[in-house]
Amino acid sequence: MKKSLLFAFALSVILFSCGGKTEENHEEHTMEHASGDASPASTSAVVSSAASSPIIDSYLAVKDALVSDNASEAASKSQALVSALKSFDISSTDAEDLEELERLQVEATAFAEKLGTEDIVAQRESFQALSVTLKDFLKIAGTDRTLYHQYCPMYKNNTGGMWLSANEDIKNPLFGSSMLTCGRVEETISMK
């Protein structure tokens, strides 16, 4: 009996801290974000560039595999991401800080290579680190679409973690099905 009560309490704390998984709470979150009044999300405008498309496409494929808790698919999809990062031609961009862009490219490639493991916990740690680096990379290199910087405060013992998504709906790759909707939009990255 005590274990059941303790479990129920722990579950309610988790659901409350992530905004819950109920349809009612999801609708409230969507309405708050859509209104712009209650949402702390900021907007960044970056240069429009199709050169980053293969990187973004591959990154989002890895993200979707992690959302689905599929470690082998994430490892498989990471090969295309590594290839896209390595083949990105920095000299063909209109970026102002080419040295920083090159540093971020090397760092992102190293994190993407670590996604090749079949250990989903290690993949998620590498993916979170990659996401931070890739966000900075895309702010310099540009993007071909609007992206949403999303953040889950409960990741890694409540230190938090972020990822990029092509839409505002929260599908958490850092927890997958165990906490699929935990998170919020922190920033919208759009084209100028």
Side-chain angles (χ1 to χ4, degrees):
M1 177 73 174
K2 287 184 181 183
K3 286 183 182 180
S4 296
L5 288 174
L6 184 58
F7 176 75
F9 176 74
L11 184 60
S12 65
V13 168
I14 289 170
L15 289 175
F16 178 75
S17 65
C18 273
K21 291 188 179 182
T22 66
E23 196 62 36
E24 180 180 310
N25 284 345
H26 176 69
E27 288 173 11
E28 288 175 14
H29 179 275
T30 303
M31 289 184 347
E32 285 178 11
H33 183 71
S35 73
D37 298 334
S39 175
S42 62
T43 300
S44 295
V46 301
V47 67
S48 176
S49 173
S52 61
S53 295
I55 294 170
I56 297 168
D57 291 341
S58 301
Y59 170 87
L60 293 173
V62 171
K63 178 192 77 78
D64 291 343
L66 292 173
V67 165
S68 299
D69 299 321
N70 193 332
S72 60
E73 185 177 343
S76 173
K77 300 287 184 183
S78 72
Q79 294 170 7
L81 179 56
V82 169
S83 177
L85 283 162
K86 286 182 176 180
S87 64
F88 183 81
D89 184 10
I90 291 175
S91 63
S92 69
T93 68
D94 294 331
E96 293 179 19
D97 194 348
L98 296 180
E99 286 181 23
E100 178 66 2
L101 190 59
E102 183 176 11
R103 184 191 72 74
L104 291 167
Q105 179 184 26
V106 169
E107 191 174 311
T109 302
F111 288 128
E113 287 172 340
K114 291 180 181 179
L115 292 167
T117 180
E118 294 283 329
D119 177 359
I120 199 158
V121 173
Q123 286 176 327
R124 287 180 166 144
E125 285 185 29
S126 295
F127 183 78
Q128 197 287 140
L130 167 67
S131 298
V132 172
T133 302
L134 191 60
K135 181 182 88 161
D136 293 341
F137 177 89
L138 293 172
K139 283 187 172 185
I140 298 171
T143 181
D144 65 344
R145 67 197 87 177
T146 298
L147 295 169
Y148 300 92
H149 161 189
Q150 298 178 338
Y151 175 79
C152 174
M154 295 187 70
Y155 180 68
K156 198 131 184 184
N157 295 321
N158 298 321
T159 59
M162 62 85 53
W163 65 93
L164 298 172
S165 180
N167 62 56
E168 289 183 271
D169 293 337
I170 302 296
K171 300 281 191 237
N172 189 328
L174 304 179
F175 281 114
S177 63
S178 67
M179 293 178 75
L180 187 61
T181 60
C182 183
R184 65 181 177 262
V185 174
E186 290 278 306
E187 180 181 14
T188 302
I189 302 168
S190 60
M191 298 171 290
K192 290 181 183 176

